[in-house]
Amino acid sequence: MTGSGRTSARSRIRSSADNNDDDSLRTVKPNLKLRKNRSKDRTSVPIFNVNFKVMLSISFIACFVILFLILHLVKPATDAQLPRVVTPFPAPKIMDLPQFQGEHKESLYWGTYRPHVYFGIRARTPQSLIAGLMWIGVKEGKYDIRHVCKNEDDLSTYGWINHNGRDFGHQLLVDHGLTLATSFLKSKEDGSGYGGDWAVRVDVQAEKSNREELFGGGAQLFFYLADEGGNVLSVGGDGLNINENSLLASGSRMDIGGWQLHLKSMDDLEVHYSGFKTPHFHNLSDLVKENLAAQIRKYALLQLSDSSDDSPNVLVYQIIGRIPFKVDIVLISGTDSKSSRIEERISSLTDASLTNQLKEKEREFDDKFEKIFNLTGKVDSDSISVGKTAIGNLIGGIGYFYGQSKIAVTDLKDHVDYISYWPAELYTAVPSRPFFPRGFLWDEGFHQLLIWRWDIHISLDIIGHWLDLMNVDGWIPREQILGAEALSRVPEEFVPQHPTNGNPPTLFLVLSDVVDGLKRNKFTATEKSEISLFLERAFDRLEAWFHWFNTTQSGIQMSSYYWHGRDSSTTHELNPKTLSSGLDDYPRSSHPSGEERHLDLRCWMFLAAHCMHSIEELLQKQMTPSKDYGATTKLLSDFELLNQMHFDDAYGTYFDFGNHTEKVQLKRKEIMAGHNYVTHQLVRDVLESPQLRLVPQIGYVSLFPFMWRIIPPGSWILEKQLELISNRSILWTDYGLRSLAKTSSLYMKRNTEHDPPYWRGPIWINMNYMILSALHHYSIANGPYQDRARAIYDELRSNLIRNIVHNSHRTGFLWEQYDQSNGKGKGTRQFTGWTSLVVLIMAEAYS
């Protein structure tokens, strides 16, 4: 692989450049001792008789030439040492477009961009001032600090009820009888620093029966402020008597100037603090626990120490009050300005003024939600409520991350080394705050199907950030684990990204939607202009992305493709996983090889080619024979060719192709582990030799040609797909379509001793949305199966909405997947990534 075996490219470049500079300087440094000796021998045989000024001029020119060579020859030589896999794509960055600068950039500067914590604020800058909330919760009689979103905290519910993605959000958290409502509001006024001011309201309630029993009548909050840049934070004053002085902390930064943090409340509160100096911000709750534990040991008091390390960059404030109570915390920026009007701005963001603004923002959210999705009359009020929570959580879960991906590179001897991607920032939605609070490439395309409808500017900003992560080869790491906070949530073995492996290019889904929206005049004149400029700047990167897939993932046969990264030597997997496909353990050929043909990837390439062709036409690009996306679209939509490669007449559906046998099982065997130590493990047992054939596993992959509407409306094959979809013995359930047919040999089979079935039966909402989209298309396309498609569409849509809404009311959450037997939510909860597509299902808004 290009660039493999380089373990520390950046350090090697730096040392190489330093050595070359030193050598160059030595070549031009005058030897004073030698000149002195020569002056003594001036009367000996003269070689040259040259004017001193001429010699000085020649020396000056020589130095200039040498310096020029150093800068223009040595530097490229060192640059060449940088492996291709960590070399950025050589084109202007999308995020440098004027439309993402100025007012747009400032308006999005502050936000709730820390999705992994229950409540967190940061700016879209690498070293930000960050804020967050902790509290003491009770579970089964045990007290613990809540901070990072964790399923094991077992909160009854939590999440953003509404969030507009810009300057407002309202969240509800219910923790075993304790209810916290957190609100966030931004304001930009005269005198504000860059990005403006922000306010946080925390409203603490509890059921009367629980107040004394569980909490002793009171609750304890911890609000913290930390400076990632290491700037010193100053405590507001001695004693922190908020009745006399609302100032909690102050400081200064290059981005926002002077700032102050104030606390206001009409309730009787007790406030304590502690200051820390630390370079680490992913474990702040540990610092609080340690401080509290020391206080308990010394004084038997559960309160912070009211002391600080020297020059602290973290300040934590403990707020104690009798339930119910309410507290407003405000950050005022630009306090060093002559026209800062601090008291006036504090007043406008606290008490009754804040209450009125929050109510108005909530009304605006409701109005915008109805205007965009138009659900009234389509679904009931319970469904609308769940829909608002879904969109609020998706948008409220947008995060900002900064760091370097870890890349695994393999040399010719299969030795794996790890190198770092360039430092990069990412602004993105996340699949799940407690379990997947980071960027996933294939999830993001589904997220953006919702977000572009909500706010096209935010959507383009997110897509631009993703495309700017592309390397020189056109590859984008599929999982973005950037920064210490993100790394702290991922086991080490899952951190490295493999540059041979792709991920479904779902961003083409949303770009196709946006281009279609341009054709249908869904945007304002300003939005049209900005979208066109975006597509123009992004075009080279999209071409490179398409080319990467078209070359690195192509199969032996023309117009065939296969996902790289499957383990052909595994001894513990029933069917080697295809993680790069996004469908993980969905059954593929039993024996991975270069002769595979993956149906889903072929269809993703059809989508990508079709989208590129549409953009090409929109921008009036000159087509070239080597990049004829129209011809590629035509090839990949060739119905006869598709059927020759992937259709099985006996089953009446489409399959992958590869080296396969159905006679594979997991069998418990004795395995020698170490010195005379025997373990019993489930290992892969192959009972017959594989053959090149279609892989007879009916499921989501079988329906990809149907999803992409490649099947003509009048074809008998369409009728077969409708039969498979509606057959209860195959894919149909009362809760949605199964991921794998009940008739499949691997239906609900474990893939290893430790891996339960994932895409082998459970219901996934992103795929059901795509199938619904196709059913809707065929229900309005003239053909003999139009009415049948409509009937299936109506029933499937109703089943999905009813089950998701029912689960949300029963459990308080949207789920990663749903059980195909009883409809119950499974996997991780608070999965408001692509499960939020239920809003588009309610709205009947399809690609």
Side-chain angles (χ1 to χ4, degrees):
M1 183 193 308
T2 303
S4 60
R6 307 282 180 92
T7 57
S8 183
R10 283 178 173 78
S11 62
R12 289 172 65 168
I13 289 170
R14 192 178 303 115
S15 62
S16 176
D18 291 345
N19 290 339
N20 284 331
D21 286 346
D22 291 344
D23 291 341
S24 302
L25 288 170
R26 279 195 289 269
T27 62
V28 297
K29 184 176 180 181
N31 187 330
L32 298 180
K33 183 176 181 181
L34 183 60
R35 283 195 174 182
K36 186 176 180 182
N37 291 339
R38 281 180 177 169
S39 66
K40 291 180 180 179
D41 297 333
R42 200 164 181 179
T43 55
S44 59
V45 182
I47 300 175
F48 294 107
N49 185 12
V50 183
N51 186 283
F52 177 73
K53 289 183 179 180
V54 174
M55 287 292 296
L56 189 62
S57 299
I58 293 172
S59 299
F60 177 80
I61 293 170
C63 289
F64 179 81
V65 170
I66 292 171
L67 183 62
F68 178 87
L69 291 173
I70 290 172
L71 292 175
H72 290 79
L73 296 181
V74 175
K75 188 176 185 296
T78 58
D79 282 351
Q81 295 181 32
L82 193 66
R84 288 184 64 86
V85 71
V86 293
T87 301
F89 187 76
K93 293 179 70 174
I94 297 172
M95 296 316 301
D96 288 339
L97 280 169
Q99 67 201 60
F100 297 122
Q101 306 302 311
E103 184 179 348
H104 169 87
K105 189 172 184 177
E106 185 177 3
S107 71
L108 293 175
Y109 195 62
W110 291 109
T112 54
Y113 301 140
R114 301 176 64 215
H116 66 292
V117 296
Y118 288 115
F119 182 85
I121 299 169
R122 68 166 296 126
R124 295 203 315 171
T125 188
Q127 294 187 323
S128 171
L129 195 63
I130 62 174
L133 178 70
M134 307 178 199
W135 71 93
I136 293 181
V138 183
K139 179 184 176 183
E140 298 174 352
K142 296 181 180 179
Y143 293 83
D144 198 4
I145 286 185
R146 310 285 194 243
H147 178 217
V148 174
C149 299
K150 293 186 292 187
N151 286 333
E152 52 266 37
D153 286 343
D154 201 24
L155 269 65
S156 302
T157 188
Y158 65 92
W160 297 99
I161 296 172
N162 8 73
H163 201 300
N164 65 12
R166 290 187 171 273
D167 58 10
F168 162 72
H170 179 68
Q171 181 181 218
L172 192 67
L173 307 105
V174 182
D175 183 7
H176 300 86
L178 183 68
T179 300
L180 282 73
T182 63
S183 300
F184 171 72
L185 184 75
K186 277 173 21 183
S187 173
K188 177 67 174 176
E189 299 184 21
D190 291 340
S192 297
Y194 187 80
D197 310 325
W198 51 256
V200 173
R201 170 167 288 176
V202 185
D203 190 347
V204 183
Q205 303 282 339
E207 298 173 10
K208 289 184 179 180
S209 58
N210 290 331
R211 288 180 190 174
E212 295 297 332
E213 180 184 351
L214 295 179
F215 309 105
Q220 303 202 34
L221 309 179
F222 300 85
F223 192 88
Y224 62 86
L225 208 60
D227 194 309
E228 293 178 320
N231 296 298
V232 176
L233 312 182
S234 300
V235 179
D238 295 333
L240 288 180
N241 187 339
I242 61 169
N243 295 318
E244 297 178 2
N245 183 2
S246 66
L247 181 64
L248 290 180
S250 61
S252 181
R253 289 176 52 89
M254 290 293 292
D255 52 354
I256 63 173
W259 59 264
Q260 293 181 3
L261 188 73
H262 290 261
L263 184 152
K264 290 278 191 176
S265 178
M266 302 295 289
D267 298 298
D268 185 21
L269 303 177
E270 182 181 344
V271 180
H272 299 278
Y273 80 96
S274 189
F276 306 95
K277 185 173 184 178
T278 176
H280 306 296
F281 304 96
H282 65 280
N283 60 346
L284 295 180
S285 55
D286 291 340
L287 297 178
V288 173
K289 288 179 184 179
E290 291 166 7
N291 190 280
L292 290 173
Q295 288 293 101
I296 291 171
R297 287 193 300 270
K298 289 180 182 178
Y299 310 111
L301 292 174
L302 186 63
Q303 66 181 49
L304 292 176
S305 61
D306 290 320
S307 63
S308 174
D309 296 342
D310 292 336
S311 304
N313 60 339
V314 178
L315 291 176
V316 183
Y317 295 90
Q318 181 183 17
I319 304 165
I320 306 171
R322 288 197 64 80
I323 303 170
F325 67 88
K326 189 183 299 180
V327 59
D328 297 339
I329 299 171
V330 185
L331 183 126
I332 302 295
S333 60
T335 56
D336 47 359
S337 167
K338 291 182 180 179
S339 58
S340 58
R341 303 180 301 109
I342 295 173
E343 290 302 323
E344 184 180 337
R345 285 156 59 194
I346 294 172
S347 179
S348 71
L349 288 173
T350 55
D351 302 329
S353 177
L354 178 59
T355 300
N356 293 334
Q357 291 180 76
L358 291 174
K359 287 180 178 178
E360 180 60 28
K361 288 293 183 181
E362 187 173 345
R363 281 193 294 270
E364 289 176 5
F365 175 89
D366 289 343
D367 291 344
K368 183 173 182 177
F369 182 87
E370 179 57 28
K371 180 180 179 182
I372 292 172
F373 301 112
N374 192 26
L375 299 190
T376 302
K378 293 182 178 178
V379 292
D380 59 24
S381 58
D382 284 347
S383 298
I384 292 175
S385 176
V386 171
K388 288 179 180 178
T389 300
I391 192 72
N393 267 309
L394 173 63
I395 293 173
I398 292 174
Y400 174 90
F401 308 91
Y402 183 85
Q404 293 176 268
S405 290
K406 186 177 182 180
I407 310 300
V409 291
T410 307
D411 61 20
L412 295 176
K413 297 180 179 179
D414 290 332
H415 175 262
V416 179
D417 264 328
Y418 301 100
I419 57 178
S420 294
Y421 225 48
W422 62 88
E425 60 181 354
L426 179 62
Y427 173 62
T428 184
V430 303
S432 169
R433 288 171 62 192
F435 208 75
F436 301 113
R438 53 193 177 274
F440 286 80
L441 181 55
W442 103 286
D443 293 65
E444 199 56 35
F446 291 108
H447 300 163
Q448 294 311 311
L449 290 176
L450 280 152
I451 294 175
W452 83 257
R453 289 172 166 89
W454 182 262
D455 190 319
I456 185 62
H457 306 287
I458 287 178
S459 184
L460 293 178
D461 196 316
I462 290 173
I463 297 169
H465 271 88
W466 273 101
L467 293 178
D468 278 346
L469 292 172
M470 183 178 292
N471 75 2
V472 67
D473 293 320
W475 175 72
I476 303 173
R478 70 184 185 92
E479 184 175 352
Q480 295 293 323
I481 311 166
L482 304 178
E485 287 190 317
L487 283 166
S488 68
R489 304 297 301 275
V490 183
E492 178 63 29
E493 64 267 27
F494 298 116
V495 171
Q497 303 297 297
H498 298 267
T500 55
N501 300 353
N503 218 203
T506 56
L507 294 182
F508 283 115
L509 265 178
V510 62
L511 291 175
S512 293
D513 254 14
V514 171
V515 171
D516 184 64
L518 285 174
K519 295 175 181 177
R520 296 172 184 267
N521 291 316
K522 290 185 178 181
F523 301 104
T524 66
T526 300
E527 289 169 344
K528 286 180 182 178
S529 174
E530 291 185 353
I531 293 168
S532 296
L533 289 171
F534 175 92
L535 293 172
E536 185 72 51
R537 175 67 65 90
F539 192 79
D540 287 348
R541 292 176 184 269
L542 293 173
E543 275 203 321
W545 201 24
F546 181 91
H547 180 73
W548 183 88
F549 275 101
N550 205 36
T551 52
T552 68
Q553 310 293 293
S554 59
I556 293 174
Q557 186 172 336
M558 182 184 231
S559 80
S560 70
Y561 299 89
Y562 72 101
W563 297 107
H564 286 47
R566 301 186 71 207
D567 185 356
S568 60
S569 61
T570 181
T571 58
H572 288 83
E573 291 182 88
L574 180 61
N575 186 272
K577 291 191 293 292
T578 316
L579 294 175
S580 53
S581 73
L583 304 179
D584 295 17
D585 68 343
Y586 185 94
R588 309 284 182 164
S589 63
S590 60
H591 290 67
S593 71
E595 295 175 288
E596 286 186 273
R597 303 200 293 260
H598 288 149
L599 175 62
D600 54 333
L601 181 51
R602 188 182 195 276
C603 290
W604 284 119
M605 292 306 296
F606 163 68
L607 168 73
H610 183 272
C611 182
M612 289 301 296
H613 183 54
S614 297
I615 297 173
E616 196 173 51
E617 287 185 327
L618 180 75
L619 301 178
Q620 298 180 337
K621 292 281 187 180
Q622 188 71 36
M623 285 184 282
T624 61
S626 61
K627 297 178 181 178
D628 190 342
Y629 299 109
T632 304
T633 303
K634 188 174 181 179
L635 174 67
L636 294 177
S637 61
D638 186 314
F639 189 51
E640 294 304 319
L641 180 60
L642 171 69
N643 292 341
Q644 291 172 23
M645 296 175 67
H646 289 283
F647 190 73
D648 188 296
D649 290 301
Y651 285 90
T653 193
Y654 295 94
F655 294 132
D656 283 344
F657 178 89
N659 205 25
H660 183 71
T661 174
E662 286 284 285
K663 295 185 178 180
V664 182
Q665 63 182 9
L666 287 179
K667 188 173 182 180
R668 194 164 295 280
K669 294 183 178 180
E670 290 186 352
I671 304 295
M672 188 68 68
H675 300 292
N676 300 319
Y677 177 66
V678 176
T679 63
H680 292 81
Q681 300 178 15
L682 280 177
V683 297
R684 175 175 155 106
D685 188 25
V686 180
L687 304 178
E688 73 172 11
S689 298
Q691 294 181 341
L692 286 174
R693 54 176 291 192
L694 292 171
V695 181
Q697 303 287 339
I698 299 174
Y700 287 160
V701 166
S702 306
L703 296 176
F704 263 72
F706 174 79
M707 292 184 212
W708 300 131
R709 307 158 199 184
I710 298 173
I711 304 171
S715 171
W716 65 273
I717 291 178
L718 176 59
E719 182 183 26
K720 286 291 185 181
Q721 307 312 293
L722 297 176
E723 288 175 359
L724 290 172
I725 289 170
S726 58
N727 190 327
R728 288 181 175 274
S729 298
I730 301 179
L731 296 176
W732 187 269
T733 79
D734 290 334
Y735 318 104
L737 297 182
R738 297 180 181 91
S739 46
L740 192 64
K742 287 178 71 174
T743 54
S744 168
S745 61
L746 295 185
Y747 176 71
M748 293 305 292
K749 293 284 183 70
R750 301 184 71 88
N751 200 48
T752 71
E753 189 166 5
H754 307 291
D755 291 336
Y758 199 46
W759 289 84
R760 295 183 179 178
I763 296 161
W764 294 81
I765 303 307
N766 60 334
M767 292 292 104
N768 272 267
Y769 170 77
M770 298 302 297
I771 293 164
L772 268 179
S773 181
L775 284 167
H776 185 267
H777 165 76
Y778 286 114
S779 75
I780 58 177
N782 290 327
Y785 313 110
Q786 186 175 358
D787 292 341
R788 182 68 179 131
R790 184 73 207 187
I792 297 172
Y793 166 81
D794 287 339
E795 190 173 358
L796 178 58
R797 175 176 175 269
S798 177
N799 288 347
L800 286 162
I801 294 171
R802 183 181 60 254
N803 190 59
I804 292 171
V805 171
H806 170 72
N807 270 275
S808 179
H809 286 303
R810 184 178 64 84
T811 67
F813 298 99
L814 297 187
W815 292 80
E816 180 182 14
Q817 53 183 215
Y818 293 86
D819 190 278
Q820 71 281 6
S821 300
N822 55 33
K824 290 183 178 180
K826 294 178 63 175
T828 185
R829 58 186 187 171
Q830 195 57 301
F831 195 91
T832 46
W834 62 44
T835 301
S836 298
L837 289 169
V838 67
V839 178
L840 298 186
I841 294 172
M842 293 176 184
E844 298 187 276
Y846 304 110
S847 298

